[in-house]
Amino acid sequence: MSFDNLCMNCFEKLTDGSKCRKCGFDNDSPADMLFLPRKTLLANRYVVGKDISQESDAVTYMGYDTERETIVTIRELLPKGIANRLEGNPDVHIRERYRKDFEGYKKSFTQLWKTLKSLNSLSAVIPVIDVFEANETVYAVSEWMATVSLREFLIRNENNNIPWEKARLMFMPVLTTLERLHENSIIHGGIYPDNLVLCGDGKVRLAGFCISECNTANSELEFNEHEGYTALEQYDNNHKICPATDIYAFSACIYRALVGTNPPSALSRETNDRLMIPNRIAETIPPYVIKALGAGLQIYPEKRIQNVYDYRELLNAAPSVVAKAADIKAVEEREAPAEEEPVSNREPAAPQPKKKGLGKAQIAAIVIAVIAVIAAAVYIFGFSGLIGGKEEETEITTLAQVTVPDFSSVGYTESDIRNSGSWNQQFKITFEYAYSPDYDAGIVFQQNIPAGEQVQEGSAIVLTVSRGTQMVDIPDVGGLTEEDAKEQLESLGFKVEIVYSYNDGTYTAGTVKDDDGIAPEAGSSVPKGDTVIIQVYGEVETTTAAPETTPGTASDTTDAQ
C-alpha cells in the first residue's frame, strides 16, 4: 500500500499538493531529525505520521494501522536528554552514562502500557492496541480519539468554570477507572486539566500516562511539573508517592472546574496552607463537596484521604444528606415572600389629586438627604469589599487523614493518653469507665474506632477505661425460697450453684438454710461473676416398715448354694 498521496496527520488523500485541504498540515514541512521519519513502517503494520507531542519519557506520533485501517497514536520511548538518533539510523542511541537507567525505563514503559492494555474495558482510558519493541526501544499503539482538554472546555465556559451538577457528571465516572488503576499499581502522577480529555462519545478520559520516573523531582528524567496540580510528595523525597498523590491532582482539577482558577502550588501551600473560594462561588457548591476537596487537597500525603473509594463517598452525599437539603430548600421556598402580582391583574388605582410643586426649602432638604444616603452606601459597600476592595472569600478547611492508633491492646493507661500532646491534637479523645475482671484499674481496654482505620483529623474517639474487678457484697438470703434467693444473687451478677440438704421435717422444703446456708458467707465482698453456693432444704424424708411375708413366699425362700 502506498502512502505517498496521504496526509501524515489525518491520513486523508492529498488533492492539492503537499498541504492537506482537510486538516491544513503541510506534509513538506521539515521534521525533527530526533524523531522517526514520516511514513516509517513499524512492526510491518503501523505507519508513522507527524509527531504531535514530546513528553519527558516519550514522543507521540499520529499513525495508521494498516491491519485495522484506522488512525492510531504511536508512543515511542525516547527520554529527553538521554536518547537521540544518528542521522539515517532509526535505532535509538543512548548516551553511555545512561545505558543502565534506560534499561530500567524500558521495563517501566513496557509494564505500564501492557497493564493499560489489560484494562481496556475501563471507560475512562483510551484503549491500547499493541505494545512491542523495535529500533532498540519500545512502542505503545493506542486508538486515536478526537478530544478536547478539560482546560480548553473550561475556557469556553462563562467565568471559566462550571457548576457542580455538571462537573459531577464529568468527574465521577473517572474515579472508578482511577481506583482500578491504583489496584493495578499504576499511579498516574500527572493528572491536570490538559490530561483529562472530553471525547466524542461524551466520556471524560485520562490521558498523558508517563512512566513513574517522570513524576518525581529527584529522577534523571525531566520532571513533569504541573503547578497547582503536582502534589508535595512529588517534589519532596521525605514523602511517599501513593494513590493519594492522584487524589490531590484530581481534587485540584475539580477545584479548577468549580472555582475558575488554578489552586496555588503545593510548595507555596506548605508555608501558607490556605485555599480560598470567592463567596459568590462557595455559595453554589454543596458543603459536602467543599469538605471532600479539603480532604483531597490536604498538603501532606499521610494526612490526605488515602483511597479513591473513601474519596468518592465524600463526593457523593449520603441519601439522608440529600433528603435533608431538599427539606430545607422546600421550607425556604414556602417561607419566601410571594411574588408581587403583575400590574395587569391589579384593580385600577383610584385617581389621586394633583400635588402642588415643592418649595425651595423642600427641594434642598431632599438633595441633602440623597447625598447622605449615597455617602452611607459608599461607606458600607466600600468597607464590605464590594467597591474598591477584594471580594470576600470562603476558606477551604483541609481535612487531614490520620491513622487511629492501637489504644486498647497494648496496656496504655488513661494517664498515658491524656498526657500525649500529639494524640490529643489529632483526635478529640473522651473516656468512659467500666468494670473488667480482665484488666487492672486505669487500663484502656476498648476503643470505638478500630486501630489502623483512616479518619479525619479531629475525629472523636471514645476510649473505655477499666475500673478493675467489680466487688459486690453477698446478701443474706437465708430463709428465702430457692427461686427468690437465686434470682436475687443472679441480679447482682453472681453465678448460683444449688446444694440440697437433708430435711427431717423441721424445715420448710425449698428454702435456704438460715445458718451457714451460703458460701462465701453473707456480708463478704466478692468479685462480680463469681459462683455462690446456697444450701436448700429438700423434701421431708419418711421411714416405713418392711411388709409382712407369709410362709412359702419368695421373700423367705433361700436359694440353695
Side-chain angles (χ1 to χ4, degrees), residues 465-487:
V465 181
S466 173
R467 291 186 183 275
T469 301
Q470 184 176 4
M471 305 299 287
V472 182
D473 292 339
I474 295 182
D476 186 356
V477 295
L480 297 180
T481 64
E482 174 186 339
E483 184 178 344
D484 288 345
K486 184 178 180 182
E487 182 179 349

PDB file of all heavy atoms in Angstrom, residues 465-487:
ATOM      1  N   VAL A 465     -12.054   2.787  79.889  1.00  0.00           N
ATOM      2  CA  VAL A 465     -11.018   2.558  80.894  1.00  0.00           C
ATOM      3  C   VAL A 465     -11.550   1.580  81.936  1.00  0.00           C
ATOM      4  O   VAL A 465     -12.694   1.696  82.408  1.00  0.00           O
ATOM      5  CB  VAL A 465     -10.630   3.885  81.582  1.00  0.00           C
ATOM      6  CG1 VAL A 465      -9.536   3.648  82.616  1.00  0.00           C
ATOM      7  CG2 VAL A 465     -10.171   4.898  80.545  1.00  0.00           C
ATOM      8  N   SER A 466     -10.728   0.613  82.312  1.00  0.00           N
ATOM      9  CA  SER A 466     -11.141  -0.386  83.290  1.00  0.00           C
ATOM     10  C   SER A 466     -11.192   0.211  84.703  1.00  0.00           C
ATOM     11  O   SER A 466     -10.288   0.938  85.117  1.00  0.00           O
ATOM     12  CB  SER A 466     -10.174  -1.571  83.283  1.00  0.00           C
ATOM     13  OG  SER A 466     -10.478  -2.474  84.332  1.00  0.00           O
ATOM     14  N   ARG A 467     -12.268  -0.117  85.428  1.00  0.00           N
ATOM     15  CA  ARG A 467     -12.341   0.204  86.856  1.00  0.00           C
ATOM     16  C   ARG A 467     -11.798  -0.962  87.682  1.00  0.00           C
ATOM     17  O   ARG A 467     -11.900  -0.957  88.914  1.00  0.00           O
ATOM     18  CB  ARG A 467     -13.793   0.460  87.262  1.00  0.00           C
ATOM     19  CG  ARG A 467     -14.392   1.740  86.699  1.00  0.00           C
ATOM     20  CD  ARG A 467     -15.778   1.954  87.296  1.00  0.00           C
ATOM     21  NE  ARG A 467     -16.439   3.120  86.761  1.00  0.00           N
ATOM     22  CZ  ARG A 467     -16.285   4.361  87.213  1.00  0.00           C
ATOM     23  NH1 ARG A 467     -15.456   4.586  88.218  1.00  0.00           N
ATOM     24  NH2 ARG A 467     -16.945   5.362  86.686  1.00  0.00           N
ATOM     25  N   GLY A 468     -11.274  -1.958  87.011  1.00  0.00           N
ATOM     26  CA  GLY A 468     -10.826  -3.152  87.697  1.00  0.00           C
ATOM     27  C   GLY A 468     -11.984  -4.112  87.893  1.00  0.00           C
ATOM     28  O   GLY A 468     -13.042  -3.977  87.289  1.00  0.00           O
ATOM     29  N   THR A 469     -11.787  -5.095  88.760  1.00  0.00           N
ATOM     30  CA  THR A 469     -12.835  -6.077  89.030  1.00  0.00           C
ATOM     31  C   THR A 469     -13.875  -5.480  89.969  1.00  0.00           C
ATOM     32  O   THR A 469     -13.523  -4.922  91.016  1.00  0.00           O
ATOM     33  CB  THR A 469     -12.231  -7.341  89.665  1.00  0.00           C
ATOM     34  OG1 THR A 469     -11.256  -7.890  88.773  1.00  0.00           O
ATOM     35  CG2 THR A 469     -13.303  -8.386  89.932  1.00  0.00           C
ATOM     36  N   GLN A 470     -15.127  -5.611  89.628  1.00  0.00           N
ATOM     37  CA  GLN A 470     -16.187  -5.072  90.470  1.00  0.00           C
ATOM     38  C   GLN A 470     -16.446  -6.027  91.636  1.00  0.00           C
ATOM     39  O   GLN A 470     -16.693  -7.216  91.441  1.00  0.00           O
ATOM     40  CB  GLN A 470     -17.467  -4.887  89.658  1.00  0.00           C
ATOM     41  CG  GLN A 470     -18.586  -4.237  90.454  1.00  0.00           C
ATOM     42  CD  GLN A 470     -19.808  -3.966  89.601  1.00  0.00           C
ATOM     43  OE1 GLN A 470     -19.836  -4.333  88.436  1.00  0.00           O
ATOM     44  NE2 GLN A 470     -20.818  -3.326  90.191  1.00  0.00           N
ATOM     45  N   MET A 471     -16.388  -5.497  92.867  1.00  0.00           N
ATOM     46  CA  MET A 471     -16.639  -6.284  94.070  1.00  0.00           C
ATOM     47  C   MET A 471     -18.057  -6.024  94.535  1.00  0.00           C
ATOM     48  O   MET A 471     -18.519  -4.873  94.565  1.00  0.00           O
ATOM     49  CB  MET A 471     -15.638  -5.911  95.168  1.00  0.00           C
ATOM     50  CG  MET A 471     -14.178  -6.025  94.750  1.00  0.00           C
ATOM     51  SD  MET A 471     -13.694  -7.705  94.282  1.00  0.00           S
ATOM     52  CE  MET A 471     -13.664  -8.488  95.896  1.00  0.00           C
ATOM     53  N   VAL A 472     -18.748  -7.080  94.896  1.00  0.00           N
ATOM     54  CA  VAL A 472     -20.149  -6.986  95.317  1.00  0.00           C
ATOM     55  C   VAL A 472     -20.311  -7.715  96.651  1.00  0.00           C
ATOM     56  O   VAL A 472     -19.779  -8.817  96.844  1.00  0.00           O
ATOM     57  CB  VAL A 472     -21.089  -7.602  94.256  1.00  0.00           C
ATOM     58  CG1 VAL A 472     -22.555  -7.447  94.689  1.00  0.00           C
ATOM     59  CG2 VAL A 472     -20.871  -6.952  92.901  1.00  0.00           C
ATOM     60  N   ASP A 473     -21.049  -7.089  97.584  1.00  0.00           N
ATOM     61  CA  ASP A 473     -21.328  -7.728  98.886  1.00  0.00           C
ATOM     62  C   ASP A 473     -22.421  -8.778  98.719  1.00  0.00           C
ATOM     63  O   ASP A 473     -23.461  -8.522  98.095  1.00  0.00           O
ATOM     64  CB  ASP A 473     -21.793  -6.690  99.909  1.00  0.00           C
ATOM     65  CG  ASP A 473     -20.667  -5.732 100.287  1.00  0.00           C
ATOM     66  OD1 ASP A 473     -19.489  -6.103 100.087  1.00  0.00           O
ATOM     67  OD2 ASP A 473     -20.967  -4.613 100.760  1.00  0.00           O
ATOM     68  N   ILE A 474     -22.178  -9.942  99.317  1.00  0.00           N
ATOM     69  CA  ILE A 474     -23.159 -11.024  99.222  1.00  0.00           C
ATOM     70  C   ILE A 474     -24.286 -10.771 100.217  1.00  0.00           C
ATOM     71  O   ILE A 474     -24.040 -10.583 101.419  1.00  0.00           O
ATOM     72  CB  ILE A 474     -22.498 -12.379  99.491  1.00  0.00           C
ATOM     73  CG1 ILE A 474     -21.483 -12.684  98.379  1.00  0.00           C
ATOM     74  CG2 ILE A 474     -23.541 -13.492  99.583  1.00  0.00           C
ATOM     75  CD1 ILE A 474     -20.800 -14.014  98.523  1.00  0.00           C
ATOM     76  N   PRO A 475     -25.514 -10.749  99.718  1.00  0.00           N
ATOM     77  CA  PRO A 475     -26.638 -10.510 100.628  1.00  0.00           C
ATOM     78  C   PRO A 475     -26.971 -11.773 101.433  1.00  0.00           C
ATOM     79  O   PRO A 475     -26.581 -12.882 101.069  1.00  0.00           O
ATOM     80  CB  PRO A 475     -27.770 -10.148  99.673  1.00  0.00           C
ATOM     81  CG  PRO A 475     -27.452 -10.900  98.422  1.00  0.00           C
ATOM     82  CD  PRO A 475     -25.950 -10.915  98.328  1.00  0.00           C
ATOM     83  N   ASP A 476     -27.693 -11.563 102.544  1.00  0.00           N
ATOM     84  CA  ASP A 476     -28.148 -12.697 103.370  1.00  0.00           C
ATOM     85  C   ASP A 476     -29.456 -13.203 102.779  1.00  0.00           C
ATOM     86  O   ASP A 476     -30.484 -12.529 102.831  1.00  0.00           O
ATOM     87  CB  ASP A 476     -28.356 -12.237 104.813  1.00  0.00           C
ATOM     88  CG  ASP A 476     -28.686 -13.412 105.736  1.00  0.00           C
ATOM     89  OD1 ASP A 476     -28.813 -14.549 105.212  1.00  0.00           O
ATOM     90  OD2 ASP A 476     -28.844 -13.180 106.937  1.00  0.00           O
ATOM     91  N   VAL A 477     -29.417 -14.383 102.174  1.00  0.00           N
ATOM     92  CA  VAL A 477     -30.616 -14.952 101.554  1.00  0.00           C
ATOM     93  C   VAL A 477     -31.163 -16.125 102.354  1.00  0.00           C
ATOM     94  O   VAL A 477     -32.008 -16.875 101.873  1.00  0.00           O
ATOM     95  CB  VAL A 477     -30.320 -15.387 100.101  1.00  0.00           C
ATOM     96  CG1 VAL A 477     -29.997 -14.189  99.237  1.00  0.00           C
ATOM     97  CG2 VAL A 477     -29.206 -16.420 100.066  1.00  0.00           C
ATOM     98  N   GLY A 478     -30.670 -16.286 103.616  1.00  0.00           N
ATOM     99  CA  GLY A 478     -31.158 -17.371 104.463  1.00  0.00           C
ATOM    100  C   GLY A 478     -32.648 -17.241 104.712  1.00  0.00           C
ATOM    101  O   GLY A 478     -33.157 -16.165 105.015  1.00  0.00           O
ATOM    102  N   GLY A 479     -33.358 -18.340 104.590  1.00  0.00           N
ATOM    103  CA  GLY A 479     -34.799 -18.348 104.806  1.00  0.00           C
ATOM    104  C   GLY A 479     -35.619 -18.057 103.565  1.00  0.00           C
ATOM    105  O   GLY A 479     -36.836 -18.275 103.555  1.00  0.00           O
ATOM    106  N   LEU A 480     -34.976 -17.525 102.499  1.00  0.00           N
ATOM    107  CA  LEU A 480     -35.716 -17.256 101.268  1.00  0.00           C
ATOM    108  C   LEU A 480     -35.953 -18.561 100.508  1.00  0.00           C
ATOM    109  O   LEU A 480     -35.236 -19.553 100.705  1.00  0.00           O
ATOM    110  CB  LEU A 480     -34.947 -16.292 100.369  1.00  0.00           C
ATOM    111  CG  LEU A 480     -34.681 -14.886 100.915  1.00  0.00           C
ATOM    112  CD1 LEU A 480     -33.916 -14.076  99.868  1.00  0.00           C
ATOM    113  CD2 LEU A 480     -35.985 -14.178 101.261  1.00  0.00           C
ATOM    114  N   THR A 481     -36.909 -18.529  99.624  1.00  0.00           N
ATOM    115  CA  THR A 481     -37.112 -19.704  98.780  1.00  0.00           C
ATOM    116  C   THR A 481     -35.931 -19.826  97.806  1.00  0.00           C
ATOM    117  O   THR A 481     -35.225 -18.848  97.530  1.00  0.00           O
ATOM    118  CB  THR A 481     -38.406 -19.593  97.964  1.00  0.00           C
ATOM    119  OG1 THR A 481     -38.275 -18.485  97.053  1.00  0.00           O
ATOM    120  CG2 THR A 481     -39.608 -19.394  98.871  1.00  0.00           C
ATOM    121  N   GLU A 482     -35.750 -21.028  97.318  1.00  0.00           N
ATOM    122  CA  GLU A 482     -34.665 -21.257  96.353  1.00  0.00           C
ATOM    123  C   GLU A 482     -34.774 -20.299  95.163  1.00  0.00           C
ATOM    124  O   GLU A 482     -33.795 -19.692  94.736  1.00  0.00           O
ATOM    125  CB  GLU A 482     -34.730 -22.708  95.871  1.00  0.00           C
ATOM    126  CG  GLU A 482     -33.736 -23.021  94.748  1.00  0.00           C
ATOM    127  CD  GLU A 482     -33.925 -24.420  94.182  1.00  0.00           C
ATOM    128  OE1 GLU A 482     -34.522 -25.288  94.865  1.00  0.00           O
ATOM    129  OE2 GLU A 482     -33.482 -24.643  93.028  1.00  0.00           O
ATOM    130  N   GLU A 483     -35.989 -20.140  94.656  1.00  0.00           N
ATOM    131  CA  GLU A 483     -36.211 -19.302  93.478  1.00  0.00           C
ATOM    132  C   GLU A 483     -35.866 -17.840  93.761  1.00  0.00           C
ATOM    133  O   GLU A 483     -35.181 -17.189  92.984  1.00  0.00           O
ATOM    134  CB  GLU A 483     -37.664 -19.426  93.023  1.00  0.00           C
ATOM    135  CG  GLU A 483     -37.968 -18.659  91.751  1.00  0.00           C
ATOM    136  CD  GLU A 483     -39.415 -18.835  91.305  1.00  0.00           C
ATOM    137  OE1 GLU A 483     -40.080 -19.767  91.800  1.00  0.00           O
ATOM    138  OE2 GLU A 483     -39.869 -18.025  90.466  1.00  0.00           O
ATOM    139  N   ASP A 484     -36.331 -17.309  94.919  1.00  0.00           N
ATOM    140  CA  ASP A 484     -36.083 -15.902  95.263  1.00  0.00           C
ATOM    141  C   ASP A 484     -34.599 -15.661  95.526  1.00  0.00           C
ATOM    142  O   ASP A 484     -34.037 -14.633  95.125  1.00  0.00           O
ATOM    143  CB  ASP A 484     -36.903 -15.501  96.484  1.00  0.00           C
ATOM    144  CG  ASP A 484     -38.388 -15.386  96.177  1.00  0.00           C
ATOM    145  OD1 ASP A 484     -38.728 -15.338  94.976  1.00  0.00           O
ATOM    146  OD2 ASP A 484     -39.196 -15.341  97.133  1.00  0.00           O
ATOM    147  N   ALA A 485     -33.956 -16.587  96.231  1.00  0.00           N
ATOM    148  CA  ALA A 485     -32.535 -16.438  96.548  1.00  0.00           C
ATOM    149  C   ALA A 485     -31.694 -16.439  95.268  1.00  0.00           C
ATOM    150  O   ALA A 485     -30.780 -15.611  95.103  1.00  0.00           O
ATOM    151  CB  ALA A 485     -32.098 -17.566  97.487  1.00  0.00           C
ATOM    152  N   LYS A 486     -32.013 -17.356  94.371  1.00  0.00           N
ATOM    153  CA  LYS A 486     -31.264 -17.446  93.124  1.00  0.00           C
ATOM    154  C   LYS A 486     -31.443 -16.185  92.284  1.00  0.00           C
ATOM    155  O   LYS A 486     -30.486 -15.636  91.732  1.00  0.00           O
ATOM    156  CB  LYS A 486     -31.720 -18.676  92.345  1.00  0.00           C
ATOM    157  CG  LYS A 486     -30.924 -18.928  91.067  1.00  0.00           C
ATOM    158  CD  LYS A 486     -31.392 -20.202  90.374  1.00  0.00           C
ATOM    159  CE  LYS A 486     -30.581 -20.440  89.096  1.00  0.00           C
ATOM    160  NZ  LYS A 486     -31.036 -21.649  88.378  1.00  0.00           N
ATOM    161  N   GLU A 487     -32.691 -15.701  92.212  1.00  0.00           N
ATOM    162  CA  GLU A 487     -32.973 -14.500  91.425  1.00  0.00           C
ATOM    163  C   GLU A 487     -32.220 -13.296  91.976  1.00  0.00           C
ATOM    164  O   GLU A 487     -31.655 -12.492  91.224  1.00  0.00           O
ATOM    165  CB  GLU A 487     -34.479 -14.233  91.433  1.00  0.00           C
ATOM    166  CG  GLU A 487     -34.884 -13.021  90.596  1.00  0.00           C
ATOM    167  CD  GLU A 487     -36.382 -12.779  90.604  1.00  0.00           C
ATOM    168  OE1 GLU A 487     -37.126 -13.661  91.076  1.00  0.00           O
ATOM    169  OE2 GLU A 487     -36.804 -11.699  90.146  1.00  0.00           O
TER     170      GLU A 487
END
